Amino acid sequence: MPFEILNQNEYLMMTLKGDCQLDNTPKIYETYKEQLKLTDIKLLIIQCSECSNIATPLMRELAQIFREIKAVNGQLRLVAANPQIVLSIRNNGLDRILVNKLSLRGALVDFGLVKTKDFDVNFINPFLNSTQKVFKIQASMETTPEKPYVKKPTDPLLLGDISGIISITSETFTGTLAISLSEDIFKKISSNMLGEEVLVVSESNVDLVGELANIILGQAKLELAKVGYAVQSALPSCVWGKDHKIKHFGAGICIVIPFKTEFGMFYTEVMTSNSLLAQVPKKTA
Amino acid sequence: MKLHILIVDDSLTLREVIKRQLEDVCQECVIDAVFSEAGDGEQAEKVMQESYFLETPVDTVFLDWMMPKMSGLDFLKNLRETIIFKEQPDVIMLTAETYPDQIAVCMKYNVTSYLTKPFQYEDLKDALEKIIERRKFKYAV
């Protein structure tokens, strides 16, 4: 079956699979109507992440479903349609009807089921896991995460001596990822990676910390996608020196994840433009 | 057989890390190699063009994606579509970009391997060995 419909309590989820032609995806409209008889849910998500193509006749059936939904004040969103499908929708003049969102979360925000400002605790774990993974694989350093906390305005701006910063954008938030290291940890990491002892921090090697931030975000993106965030990254930058400040892009609340290593502490900071971070545990003494 | 490996990455330190590990791989595989480096796609194009006149032109590229001036993907597109070499070099993507659709785009441009950062020595070794084996077979034929 190239499609299935599941009731997710607050919305219906139709998943399209493979190359969806009218002849191999029959009765999509009828199946949806049958489903409607069992429920009064008026919100429909068409998940396209496993779908390579939607043929034009089938697209018209989806447009017919949209009209049915609209007639009862419901909503329909496509999620994760590939560029070819999006282009095909546009070429058929259906882009106002079959609106595509990059992530499930983006669609749920449109439906009003998730508030843009709600902070999702699932958002922090990917950064925690990816920092541990990157330090272990790339820098041969074991790390132990400590309890994350929300950075208060009174907390010191400066946590480490060297910081790598990268901006994050998605449909539902913008923000920054920073990692901030002491000179000792930086030298140890550089030494492990280069296979020779690095004794100084200089212009010629400090770029490594920006690259680490980039790699951490790259790994976190995979996990973030699984919990509904499609994230784009940009070029990283580095700040260093005893008196440097981590300047996040934009304004928002900053969550700090401290990591313990054999050579001292370092910090991963995630700043998002969202303001409701109440679910994050408070800093412990 | 001698390889000319171009390492393209905007991080100078990471280029050095990659180069040192590849030197070890080449030593382990008993293969001669020369190395060139570039910090972005534009520089990489220049190195490719200049190397064309060398005895050993660039034949293997380790390529980052996200770089200033010209991205790895743009360099790859130009390499495959515009620049005409006697033989197209093998390209190994070595990048922090991890989404499946990004990998699929690169595969369209005929990359030999797609490695994601963080990487280990074994990852580089496997990717380079694949190239070496294929070329050994080609020269034998």
Side-chain angles (χ1 to χ4, degrees):
Chain A
M1 188 77 165
F3 76 95
E4 61 182 13
I5 300 180
L6 291 174
N7 186 333
Q8 305 283 3
N9 294 328
E10 292 178 300
Y11 57 91
L12 294 174
M13 170 84 88
M14 179 188 287
T15 304
L16 300 181
K17 294 174 183 176
D19 184 3
C20 293
Q21 304 286 336
L22 193 60
D23 54 353
N24 67 9
T25 318
K27 299 178 181 172
I28 199 165
Y29 176 71
E30 285 84 353
T31 309
Y32 173 72
K33 292 283 280 182
E34 285 298 315
Q35 187 71 34
L36 270 192
K37 285 178 190 167
L38 308 172
T39 173
D40 58 355
I41 296 172
K42 299 168 190 169
L43 303 172
L44 175 66
I45 284 174
I46 301 176
Q47 177 58 260
C48 303
S49 60
E50 296 172 48
C51 173
S52 56
N53 178 45
I54 303 175
T56 300
L58 193 66
M59 220 172 263
R60 294 203 180 109
E61 289 226 353
L62 295 179
Q64 197 179 345
I65 291 175
F66 169 82
R67 286 182 202 103
E68 296 271 345
I69 290 174
K70 199 183 172 201
V72 293
N73 293 322
Q75 291 190 72
L76 179 153
R77 290 288 182 274
L78 268 61
V79 168
N82 68 36
Q84 188 189 334
I85 295 172
V86 172
L87 183 65
S88 178
I89 288 171
R90 198 179 305 147
N91 290 344
N92 280 290
L94 298 171
D95 47 330
R96 288 191 179 182
I97 291 173
L98 302 177
V99 176
N100 179 55
K101 305 302 283 189
L102 291 175
S103 66
L104 175 61
R105 189 176 172 84
L108 296 181
V109 167
D110 280 2
F111 290 171
L113 297 176
V114 174
K115 289 177 188 168
T116 311
K117 284 184 172 180
D118 276 352
F119 179 76
D120 184 356
V121 281
N122 292 327
F123 184 69
I124 286 304
N125 284 340
F127 292 100
L128 190 152
N129 296 336
S130 66
T131 303
Q132 275 197 293
K133 182 180 175 184
V134 170
F135 271 69
K136 185 173 182 177
I137 293 176
Q138 200 70 77
S140 311
M141 187 176 279
E142 293 293 339
T143 60
T144 309
E146 298 204 333
K147 206 168 183 179
Y149 61 89
V150 177
K151 199 170 183 178
K152 293 178 198 149
T154 49
D155 284 342
L157 286 168
L158 178 67
L159 292 175
D161 304 319
I162 305 151
S163 300
I165 302 165
I166 189 163
S167 69
I168 312 167
T169 55
S170 87
E171 279 186 325
T172 48
F173 71 94
T174 57
T176 314
L177 166 72
I179 59 164
S180 195
L181 314 171
S182 66
E183 277 200 14
D184 283 347
I185 293 180
F186 178 79
K187 282 188 240 175
K188 187 64 192 165
I189 287 170
S190 309
S191 303
N192 289 351
M193 289 177 72
L194 286 163
E196 68 177 30
E197 195 171 1
V198 173
L199 299 170
V200 290
V201 181
S202 69
E203 287 287 346
S204 64
N205 61 18
V206 77
D207 63 336
L208 194 61
V209 74
E211 190 60 27
L212 285 174
N214 186 29
I215 299 172
I216 288 168
L217 180 57
Q219 286 300 308
K221 276 160 70 173
L222 281 177
E223 265 194 73
L224 287 166
K226 288 178 194 162
V227 290
Y229 294 98
V231 168
Q232 306 293 321
S233 53
L235 286 169
S237 58
C238 308
V239 194
W240 63 299
K242 284 286 177 195
D243 297 319
H244 85 271
K245 290 175 183 175
I246 298 172
K247 190 176 185 308
H248 288 283
F249 305 115
I253 287 184
C254 182
I255 303 154
V256 181
I257 314 169
F259 287 88
K260 200 173 173 179
T261 76
E262 196 186 331
F263 308 93
M265 301 291 295
F266 75 91
Y267 305 88
T268 293
E269 297 191 359
V270 184
M271 200 281 299
T272 78
S273 54
N274 307 322
S275 57
L276 299 178
L277 293 165
Q279 294 175 68
V280 174
K282 294 275 189 293
K283 185 179 180 179
T284 47
Chain B
M1 184 170 63
K2 189 176 183 180
L3 300 180
H4 186 162
I5 300 172
L6 169 61
I7 300 166
V8 191
D9 198 299
D10 57 336
S11 165
L12 176 67
T13 315
L14 206 68
R15 290 205 302 271
E16 190 58 33
V17 171
I18 297 165
K19 185 184 163 190
R20 287 182 186 197
Q21 293 197 9
L22 287 174
E23 280 172 343
D24 289 346
V25 173
C26 290
Q27 204 174 2
E28 205 181 320
C29 298
V30 199
I31 288 287
D32 277 344
V34 288
F35 291 87
S36 296
E37 292 180 31
D40 59 60
E42 274 183 18
Q43 275 182 27
E45 283 195 340
K46 208 174 161 192
V47 173
M48 290 294 303
Q49 284 157 11
E50 285 170 1
S51 93
Y52 185 72
F53 301 102
L54 299 176
E55 192 186 336
T56 312
V58 170
D59 49 38
T60 309
V61 184
F62 281 79
L63 182 62
D64 189 15
W65 184 314
M66 192 71 93
M67 292 181 290
K69 292 183 186 169
M70 184 193 286
S71 73
L73 181 62
D74 287 338
F75 166 78
L76 180 62
K77 284 178 183 172
N78 289 350
L79 183 71
R80 295 302 192 222
E81 292 174 354
T82 316
I83 305 170
I84 298 164
F85 289 97
K86 274 184 198 162
E87 285 190 50
Q88 279 280 336
D90 281 297
V91 175
I92 295 115
M93 293 301 295
L94 182 52
T95 169
E97 299 302 319
T98 50
Y99 282 148
D101 58 339
Q102 292 176 310
I103 297 173
V105 168
C106 288
M107 288 301 174
K108 258 176 54 183
Y109 291 96
N110 196 22
V111 296
T112 310
S113 302
Y114 193 104
L115 307 181
T116 54
K117 299 172 183 172
F119 60 91
Q120 288 174 305
Y121 175 80
E122 291 302 323
D123 301 326
L124 299 184
K125 190 179 166 208
D126 288 349
L128 201 56
E129 272 183 345
K130 205 176 356 172
I131 292 167
I132 292 168
E133 287 306 314
R134 206 186 58 232
R135 289 196 195 155
K136 272 183 182 168
F137 178 75
K138 190 177 161 190
Y139 288 130
V141 172

